[in-house]
Amino acid sequence: MGVFPNPDTRWVKGQSGNPKGRPKGRSFRAARAFLDAAVDALLEGDLRAPKRLVEHEDAQERAEERRRARDR
């Protein structure tokens, strides 16, 4: 037979999985800004803009990870 989880460690019905997660009312501003920039560039005729934006975002994320690792 399978192993049953301890009832004391189960999720409480109706409770969020991450109570300290994203605050209510906060939007995904970074994602929205990224999509707006990509659409604007496409409308202007720059078909390579979305790829450059993705590469730029990836580079920013890597730089932020390096900063966090350095500050530890």
Side-chain angles (χ1 to χ4, degrees), residues 54-68:
V54 168
E55 291 169 350
H56 178 71
E57 290 292 318
D58 289 343
Q60 285 183 331
E61 287 176 17
R62 286 192 304 270
E64 182 63 30
E65 288 174 8
R66 285 193 299 270
R67 271 186 240 120
R68 279 186 290 218

Side-chain angles (χ1 to χ4, degrees), residues 14-69:
Q15 180 181 354
S16 170
N18 184 4
K20 293 183 179 182
R22 181 175 56 88
K24 289 185 188 280
R26 184 166 179 184
S27 66
F28 296 97
R29 284 178 262 175
R32 180 65 169 223
F34 174 80
L35 291 175
D36 287 345
V39 169
D40 289 344
L42 285 170
L43 291 174
E44 292 174 4
D46 188 357
L47 300 178
R48 295 184 181 154
K51 181 178 180 183
R52 284 197 308 274
L53 286 169
V54 168
E55 291 169 350
H56 178 71
E57 290 292 318
D58 289 343
Q60 285 183 331
E61 287 176 17
R62 286 192 304 270
E64 182 63 30
E65 288 174 8
R66 285 193 299 270
R67 271 186 240 120
R68 279 186 290 218

Side-chain angles (χ1 to χ4, degrees), residues 7-21:
D8 296 333
T9 61
R10 291 184 185 174
W11 291 105
V12 177
K13 187 172 183 175
Q15 180 181 354
S16 170
N18 184 4
K20 293 183 179 182

